[in-house]
Amino acid sequence: MKKQLILSPFLCILIFSFLRPAYGQELFSTRYNITHITMDNGLLHNFIDDIYKDSQGFLWIATGGGGLSRYDGYEFIHYNTNTSPVKLKSNFPRNICEDNFGRLWITSEGGVDILNLKTLQQESLKDVDNKIYPFFKQSAIHAIKDSQGNIWLCSGTNIQKITFDKQGEIARVYTLTSIPITIQAITLSDVDNDGNIWAGIGNRIYKLYTASNASIEAVPVSPLFEAEGGILINTFCLKENEVWIGTNKGLFRYNRNKEIVKIYEYQKENPRSISQNYITDLAVTQDKQLLVSTLKGINIYNPITDDFEQITQEAKSQHSQLSSNFINCIRVDNEIIWIGSETGGINKITPRKLVVRNYMHNKDNPSSLSQNLVNAIYEDPTGNLWVGTVEGGLNRKTGKNDQFSHYTTDSPAYLCHNSVSAITSDENNRLWVGTWGYGITLLDLNDSSFKKIKDISSDTSPVNFVGSLCYDSINKGMWIGTNPGIYFYDILTDQLHQPFDAEVVSKIHGSLGAIIDSKGYLWMGSMEGVFIIDLHSRNENQFLYRHLRYKLNNPESGLIEKISCFYLSADSSLWIGSNGYGIYKYELDENEKGYFTAYTTEHGLINNNVRGLLEDEQGRLWISTNNGLSCFEPTVKRFTNYTREDGLAGNQFYWNAYCRSHSGTLYFGGDKWPHGHRNQSPRNNILAL
């Protein structure tokens, strides 16, 4: 079955954990991503003259030398002088528009082609007096539809206004003859939305009106536009009662109420000036931002500062780079912006689907996050955010302050090891810092310097490699998942216990993730399934437990389960992340017997190697994985996926690195590879939603 056209914008999900800056103050490049569509993707040619979206949702692309292409978001259908049964008059279509009867008007040096969008067959239109037919054979530069449904056509040395009857036949043709300039220097636009169009003819701007004798009268718009010789009018754009005019010598801003014109020109020493004086096209986005294309990139006008943000091929971020600086046209399609270039095909600009804040290590900023992978995130009861890294020690961020304080094996914390792999606190307001290498350090949260209370470590300690920590208020103790083993630390007696038979404990490898459910059961993951421990069953420091070793929803498969994380949602649903088999929801049937429902990449999850699970304030589940981030809406069982193109610093997230703050902010930790340097060590980052 043919895929449906999906050129409309994505349904965007925006999670705000902090106030978003006003658009006028926020860089365009931080809100959008640019992807490239070129001949490598199926385009006929990388020279794009015009882009048009028809009433059926298809994109039509006029190329300079390859012909015309129809794009449905997946595939191209091409039309040129050699295609059959539709053979265009030229392989150099210039511009495209559609009339009210579903017909595409295609101008080129060979004349005018009319294509019926329903039949995809060419049509031949004639008026009663056969006046229009000769114009269809002349070189045509421009065609537009005005607000009244009429077609205005510039061909030969004439401009025609073509009206239609109810059946779509040509009713009348009005003509402006003997244009005193070459046809390449004309632009047409229904600026006032009244059916009387503006025409830029050479260095003059006229408004065109029809007369009873089938002629067209050209009336100068304003004496302000008696421009000097050498200026060519290329494009018009109405924005909030001001007309912006693109020329080959700068951008003109015309205030019709005050009869004032302001000119914007390139300034070599000003990076906020327009990038070049040759303006090729203008457009306004849905959020009222003016886009200006030039032969040196595109420019986004900032009305607050009255200057421009430049987007070029040389942008630092690969997701903000144009494929070419030679831009010919802009087409705004709801939230998507299509940019046609001379040498780089099409630039598709789409809004980032996430508004995120990334915290990363910066070697030039001593208050940034410490280096290496983020391996644990925890918010203590007072609102301090604690971040553990691999060999980078412990970090603390307070409130809205984006600065991090660092704690390592040196003063003031004197951690027992700098690879921090698990963090939590107990009811005595002590921070438990588990490490991967030398046990646990307890810090005093009541002390402003967070002085060390004690270490639970030794060269022979069974808890040297900590994968998870979970405070047990029922038994006043701390559960410690290690490699190997699961242990219970009795806080009242300061003693470490094996909660199961010693042989069982020694066979538990890769403990990771832990949570206590609403019925008092501790769930602790491992690389060999999940252990479910009854916290009410304590008997001389021994506990009853169940071990689910095989794939949770299909134990008969014999596949060993690898559980990495847990989350208890607001409705007390237990969600479980697997390193290889996606996520599970633990549910009870009518007989109160538990079962697991799996959701994997087959259902839309971005990757089956799950690293973290969190719920937002709308009840959506956010899943960090080994290759991107997924948002799952349980009520409709639908996934929305996000990657680096949507604002993530990287696609790869890390073990234990997830936390929901008291304010509702979601934190996920991972790594970010330096672009182009896969052989280097990864840099860390925290994503805040």
Side-chain angles (χ1 to χ4, degrees), residues 289-332:
Q289 285 199 283
L290 178 71
L291 306 181
V292 184
S293 67
T294 73
L295 296 182
K296 193 179 179 182
I298 62 173
N299 301 262
I300 296 87
Y301 176 67
N302 188 329
I304 296 176
T305 55
D306 194 31
D307 58 12
F308 300 86
E309 177 190 349
Q310 300 178 5
I311 306 292
T312 66
Q313 192 174 5
E314 292 77 32
K316 292 182 180 180
S317 169
Q318 62 175 328
H319 302 296
S320 300
Q321 291 176 348
L322 297 175
S323 60
S324 169
N325 281 336
F326 303 107
I327 305 301
N328 287 335
C329 58
I330 308 173
R331 172 67 59 178
V332 173

Side-chain angles (χ1 to χ4, degrees), residues 323-358:
S323 60
S324 169
N325 281 336
F326 303 107
I327 305 301
N328 287 335
C329 58
I330 308 173
R331 172 67 59 178
V332 173
D333 171 21
N334 296 316
E335 291 184 331
I336 299 176
I337 303 166
W338 303 89
I339 306 289
S341 72
E342 283 196 10
T343 59
I346 295 173
N347 294 267
K348 181 182 179 182
I349 303 180
T350 53
R352 292 181 175 178
K353 294 184 286 183
L354 281 177
V355 176
V356 301
R357 180 175 295 179
N358 289 298

Side-chain angles (χ1 to χ4, degrees), residues 3-18:
K3 297 175 180 176
Q4 295 294 316
L5 178 70
I6 55 167
L7 290 175
S8 57
F10 293 100
L11 177 63
C12 300
I13 302 175
L14 305 179
I15 309 300
F16 292 88
S17 61
F18 45 86

Side-chain angles (χ1 to χ4, degrees), residues 636-673:
V636 294
K637 295 181 173 56
R638 180 177 61 198
F639 287 92
T640 304
N641 297 324
Y642 305 95
T643 64
R644 184 183 286 118
E645 292 185 356
D646 303 304
L648 305 184
N651 290 338
Q652 187 170 343
F653 293 88
Y654 208 60
W655 312 106
N656 266 2
Y658 59 99
C659 171
R660 172 174 167 164
S661 74
H662 301 112
S663 66
T665 302
L666 309 184
Y667 293 96
F668 292 96
D671 63 72
K672 178 183 181 297
W673 289 92

Side-chain angles (χ1 to χ4, degrees), residues 420-488:
V420 177
S421 51
I423 312 169
T424 193
S425 63
D426 60 28
E427 63 182 19
N428 298 318
N429 216 23
R430 299 183 298 182
L431 190 73
W432 291 61
V433 183
T435 72
W436 196 257
Y438 207 68
I440 301 167
T441 295
L442 272 64
L443 302 180
D444 188 357
L445 291 175
N446 294 314
D447 187 279
S448 59
S449 63
F450 305 103
K451 67 179 181 180
K452 180 165 74 171
I453 298 173
K454 64 182 297 185
D455 288 331
I456 303 174
S457 62
S458 69
D459 290 337
T460 59
S461 172
V463 295
N464 278 344
F465 294 89
V466 179
S468 60
L469 293 168
C470 186
Y471 177 66
D472 174 1
S473 61
I474 298 172
N475 296 288
K476 308 300 181 184
M478 187 66 67
W479 287 88
I480 307 169
T482 74
N483 190 26
I486 296 175
Y487 296 88
F488 175 73

